[in-house]
Amino acid sequence: MTRRCRGCGSTALTTVLDLGSVPAADHFPPHDTPVDAAESGHPLRMDRCAGCGLAQLADDDTVTAEPRGIEPLALREQAAEAVRLTDAAGLLRGTTVTEFGSPHGGTWLPLLTDRGFTTTDGPADVVLDCFGIMHEPDQRAAFAARAAATAPGGVLLVQYHSLAAILAQGQWNALRHGHFAYYSLATLDTLLRAAGMSVVAGWRFELYGGTVLLAARHGVDPADHTVAAIRAAEAAAPAVDTLQRVVDQHVGALRAWLEHRAARGDRVYAYGAASRAVALLAMAGAHRGVLAGVADASPAKQGGRMPGTDVPIVSPADLVAADPDAVLLTLPDLYDEVTALLPALDGRWFVDDPAGPRARALDAVPGSLWRS
């Protein structure tokens, strides 16, 4: 069967990242079940369309219900700032709001209802989509649905993890089952125009290493200077096929670090049973001999294990009680939140990134990561 672009229908697709077969990103088996080789039998590849430029999940043979995570403080703070900026730009007009949610959880609706908006099932003056649309297999239909939900004169707000940031930081493990699209501004502009809308403003945030919020309206409207700044930043990103070269380096560095710590007799845990950690830990060959457990605040994940491994998922309280020698943080954005919540673990945190585990020095400039 000929594969077609999820955004424009073109058949001009090229594979730019191939991780082989890995576990499903959102299925966490019970911790006491044996590891089945079939768990790691799901192909995971990224294609790029020569027509609209959309980077996309090639195929997804997983059928699992994604467990609801706990919304990080960094995400809540960024949402509040995003709403403040769009309001300051005069884009939050009208009285009604609707939201296309994300399976990861979290909502911006209270931020709008606190400003006097009321929710509606019909076309709304403000339509919200925070990391939701990337979960839609049919991207063309998804953009059409969001355009139809936006009232004439209304605004559509779409937030996405920037493909440029993924490329610049080598975040190859942003590719996962259930995430069907990875966006650049140029591609989003193309897909929105096909749905009868145009980008009018945009903002960049540090969340996830680079997040963008775009505002779009019906018709053909001029974009302001903020859009040009985002476009220029994205133009400087590395080519998408550079991700493939990062994979072996990252996986190898993590494997070596875990084995080195185990050889020293250290008890190592991780924090964050995140989807981006699934392929990484499985490919690095993580097991209880080198990684005693992964802590996560989501009750839906606790009691399970990391797929493709025998590493159990425990609660943050269990992590503290275990008194580990080192804790690998799989999501850098959680650093400030978890170190404040778990002061007993001060000095034991290592932040994972594509260059391998790094320790964050206590006197480091905020945001900087240092080699352990």
Side-chain angles (χ1 to χ4, degrees):
M1 181 177 177
T2 301
R3 288 186 290 125
R4 294 186 176 275
C5 174
R6 299 181 185 278
C8 70
S10 170
T11 58
L13 297 171
T14 301
T15 297
V16 292
L17 177 61
D18 190 343
L19 301 183
S21 294
V22 299
D26 51 12
H27 175 59
F28 299 89
H31 71 93
D32 55 356
T33 57
V35 179
D36 185 343
E39 288 177 26
S40 299
H42 303 285
L44 186 57
R45 303 191 315 278
M46 178 188 286
D47 284 348
R48 184 78 178 274
C49 175
C52 66
L54 182 66
Q56 56 201 274
L57 185 64
D59 297 292
D60 190 350
D61 66 353
T62 65
V63 183
T64 54
E66 183 167 339
R68 185 58 60 95
I70 301 298
E71 188 177 24
L73 175 62
L75 186 57
R76 299 196 300 273
E77 292 178 341
Q78 185 272 328
E81 176 65 4
V83 170
R84 185 191 70 78
L85 289 171
T86 52
D87 188 29
L91 291 168
L92 299 185
R93 305 169 187 168
T95 60
T96 56
V97 61
T98 192
E99 183 175 53
F100 288 83
S102 163
H104 295 300
T107 176
W108 289 17
L109 285 177
L111 297 171
L112 274 293
T113 56
D114 286 349
R115 294 170 178 265
F117 284 82
T118 58
T119 59
T120 179
D121 293 330
D125 299 310
V126 177
V127 176
L128 306 170
D129 189 306
C130 177
F131 306 122
I133 198 166
M134 69 185 302
H135 295 89
E136 301 280 1
D138 188 336
Q139 287 285 295
R140 182 157 43 183
F143 279 95
R146 285 151 180 76
T150 308
V155 64
L156 168 64
L157 299 175
V158 178
Q159 177 158 294
Y160 62 98
H161 187 190
S162 167
L163 178 61
I166 292 172
L167 297 173
Q169 298 173 39
Q171 298 175 1
W172 62 270
N173 53 342
L175 177 65
R176 53 146 290 184
H177 300 108
H179 286 184
F180 293 95
Y182 303 83
Y183 306 106
S184 66
L185 171 58
T187 295
L188 274 174
D189 189 43
T190 298
L191 297 177
L192 284 165
R193 286 184 181 277
M197 305 190 79
S198 53
V199 175
V200 296
W203 298 266
R204 288 181 291 166
F205 303 92
E206 292 304 313
L207 184 70
Y208 302 147
T211 296
V212 174
L213 173 67
L214 293 182
R217 284 180 159 167
H218 288 291
V220 181
D221 285 337
D224 68 15
H225 68 281
T226 60
V227 176
I230 295 171
R231 197 181 305 277
E234 292 193 353
V240 69
D241 58 5
T242 59
L243 282 179
Q244 190 73 58
R245 296 197 292 271
V246 180
V247 177
D248 289 343
Q249 173 190 347
H250 189 188
V251 170
L254 177 58
R255 182 186 296 114
W257 183 80
L258 290 172
E259 292 175 349
H260 170 69
R261 286 277 170 173
R264 285 175 32 169
D266 291 344
R267 296 186 71 243
V268 177
Y269 278 72
Y271 190 102
S275 60
R276 70 172 55 192
V278 170
L280 173 63
L281 292 180
M283 293 172 68
H287 56 85
R288 296 178 79 163
V290 296
L291 186 65
V294 177
D296 198 278
S298 171
K301 296 180 181 179
Q302 294 165 13
R305 59 174 171 79
M306 296 301 292
T309 81
D310 63 353
V311 179
I313 302 172
V314 302
S315 70
D318 291 334
L319 172 65
V320 173
D323 193 25
D325 296 296
V327 184
L328 179 72
L329 183 61
T330 64
L331 292 172
D333 292 280
L334 294 180
Y335 183 85
D336 291 335
E337 182 176 359
V338 297
T339 53
L341 290 173
L342 306 174
L345 300 176
D346 282 356
R348 309 183 207 183
W349 292 98
F350 290 78
V351 181
D352 176 66
D353 74 3
R358 297 169 179 257
R360 181 164 179 163
L362 296 179
D363 59 349
V365 176
S368 64
L369 301 176
W370 298 83
R371 285 193 182 278
S372 58

